[in-house]
Amino acid sequence: SGLFIRPPFKKVIINISKIGKSSYLGEHSLLMDFGGPIWEKKKRIMDPGFKIQKLKDFISKFYKIGEQVAQDLTEQQQKLGYVDFAEVIAPYTIHAISSAGFNIGDEETLNKLSSGAKVLSEIIVKQLRDQGSARQLMGFQHPDLPEAENQLKKIRAMGKDLIMERINSGKLGAEGDSMDMIIKANEKNGELDMEWCLDDFMTMYEAGNQTTSGTLGFFIAEMVRHPEIQDKLISEIDEKWNGITSESSNEEIAAALHEMKYLDCCVKETLRKNPPVTFGFKTVQKDIILGGYTVPKDSTVCVSQQVLHHHPAHWDSPEKFNPDRFLDEKN
């Protein structure tokens, strides 16, 4: 069973015998197989890879990728007269995940991963839009399912090759990147569970790709809609980014970013107004009273970031894009 609260914020109790597992991310990925000792172990091992100090090690890589994105966007605008941001950013999101998280530099592998992830993402979006359609309710197979399964097999096969390459290279544990942590998190009694490992590999690529590229897309869209905010941000960039180049050290780039308070506010407001993940699940560890209802132990509770981020009890003018709200320390 689960407790759902939805607009207009009425309490609704529904029964869930089992939360559906994603056929794309795999049922044993960190995002899908939540709760329990195995999940706790994997989370404990993988969490350090997302700490700010670890991310600082990748800043120069992100910067160089960002420079290439800016160049491609400029060239596209000059050639076509407009910019298709989603088309440009998608492959570079994969490149950023690959180089920073998995230390992959081979251009051919990067392009194959990027192409496969792009096709798979497009199919997933189509299927989500088709949720509840007459075809689906009547039990018909989605027409794109065979192609999705084909792309899934290709990406998982590449993932397996990359995992084995890391293990056989003698460098396992030396990089300290996502690949090392995924392998370590899925060792059981000294042996690697490859399928579980590939489930987490897919999570990094598919979920990481969608959330990152989606957030960047919303960020640019908000800047276009609010030129006065864009001008204020550009002024801060001109002031704080002065002297930073692709040859600057991770420490220099991190220090400059730390001084860009308004950029930080703009990113936070983008995430508030357009959360890349709109809901999440939590497993109740003991009987609790929530919203006047008794929620028994082992129930699954759905928490909606989309609702919380637009709730007027927590935000003034929640539908308005206002980065200044994060200048207030209480936010």
Side-chain angles (χ1 to χ4, degrees):
S1 66
L3 174 67
F4 284 69
I5 300 176
R6 64 186 182 191
F9 315 116
K10 294 180 180 178
K11 305 178 189 68
V12 181
I13 293 289
I14 68 171
N15 290 321
I16 307 172
S17 59
K18 182 180 179 182
I19 296 298
K21 304 294 185 181
S22 168
S23 59
Y24 298 111
L25 299 183
E27 65 175 295
H28 296 296
S29 75
L30 190 63
L31 290 183
M32 294 294 108
D33 194 21
F34 47 84
I38 294 176
W39 180 85
E40 290 287 352
K41 173 203 167 189
K42 291 171 71 171
K43 185 174 182 295
R44 185 174 63 254
I45 292 172
M46 296 171 70
D47 262 357
F50 299 94
K51 301 298 183 184
I52 189 65
Q53 190 55 49
K54 188 63 182 177
L55 293 176
K56 283 181 180 179
D57 295 341
F58 305 135
I59 284 180
S60 59
K61 290 183 178 181
F62 294 150
Y63 183 86
K64 289 173 183 177
I65 292 171
E67 280 193 323
Q68 188 61 54
V69 171
Q71 181 180 324
D72 286 359
L73 289 171
T74 300
E75 291 175 357
Q76 188 181 81
Q77 196 279 330
Q78 292 172 345
K79 181 179 179 180
L80 303 176
Y82 65 88
V83 168
D84 185 336
F85 186 81
E87 185 70 23
V88 172
I89 198 63
Y92 284 110
T93 304
I94 291 293
H95 283 215
I97 294 171
S98 299
S99 62
F102 296 94
N103 204 30
I104 301 170
D106 176 60
E107 199 66 29
E108 183 179 355
T109 302
L110 287 171
N111 289 335
K112 285 181 179 179
L113 284 168
S114 177
S115 176
K118 180 176 181 291
V119 173
L120 186 58
S121 295
E122 290 172 350
I123 292 172
I124 291 172
V125 170
K126 285 182 183 178
Q127 290 186 336
L128 288 172
R129 288 174 178 167
D130 204 31
Q131 291 281 336
S133 68
R135 281 183 58 85
Q136 187 190 55
L137 293 173
M138 292 173 68
F140 288 108
Q141 175 179 291
H142 195 284
D144 291 326
L145 187 59
E147 178 59 21
E149 292 177 342
N150 181 45
Q151 293 298 331
L152 186 64
K153 288 177 182 177
K154 287 182 178 179
I155 298 174
R156 287 178 76 91
M158 282 189 281
K160 184 176 181 179
D161 289 342
L162 291 166
I163 290 166
M164 293 308 301
E165 181 182 325
R166 176 65 62 86
I167 293 171
N168 295 330
S169 69
K171 296 180 180 179
L172 182 60
E175 300 292 345
D177 57 7
S178 296
M179 180 71 86
D180 278 352
M181 284 180 283
I182 284 175
I183 294 171
K184 183 179 179 182
N186 289 289
E187 287 179 343
K188 295 185 292 185
N189 300 320
E191 295 186 4
L192 179 66
D193 189 311
M194 181 57 76
E195 289 305 307
W196 286 27
C197 205
L198 289 172
D199 286 350
D200 284 323
F201 177 84
M202 286 301 302
T203 297
M204 292 290 185
Y205 267 96
E206 200 52 44
N209 175 34
Q210 286 295 300
T211 53
T212 305
S213 59
T215 298
L216 287 169
F218 278 121
F219 181 90
I220 294 298
E222 296 292 359
M223 292 301 107
V224 171
R225 294 188 187 116
H226 303 91
E228 73 288 353
I229 293 175
Q230 182 182 161
D231 290 343
K232 185 175 179 179
L233 178 57
I234 289 173
S235 295
E236 181 182 71
I237 293 171
D238 289 341
E239 177 187 353
K240 305 296 184 182
W241 206 248
N242 187 31
I244 297 295
T245 71
S246 58
E247 302 305 316
S248 299
S249 67
N250 287 335
E251 291 73 20
E252 290 171 330
I253 298 174
L257 284 171
H258 184 70
E259 292 300 315
M260 298 173 71
K261 306 301 183 185
Y262 195 64
L263 172 62
D264 186 58
C265 292
C266 289
V267 172
K268 287 177 178 176
E269 180 68 344
T270 300
L271 291 169
R272 181 201 66 81
K273 189 167 179 281
N274 311 284
V277 179
T278 55
F279 63 90
F281 295 106
K282 293 290 183 182
T283 302
V284 179
Q285 301 297 309
K286 61 181 180 180
D287 292 357
I288 61 170
I289 304 297
L290 186 62
Y293 291 88
T294 299
V295 182
K297 179 184 176 181
D298 297 327
S299 296
T300 300
V301 178
C302 177
V303 182
S304 172
Q305 292 91 303
Q306 183 72 20
V307 171
L308 292 174
H309 291 188
H310 293 79
H311 201 309
H314 304 298
W315 307 97
D316 295 330
S317 304
E319 299 307 319
K320 180 181 179 182
F321 185 80
N322 176 25
D324 287 359
R325 71 173 82 239
F326 285 101
L327 292 172
D328 187 336
E329 288 188 3
K330 72 178 182 179
N331 289 331

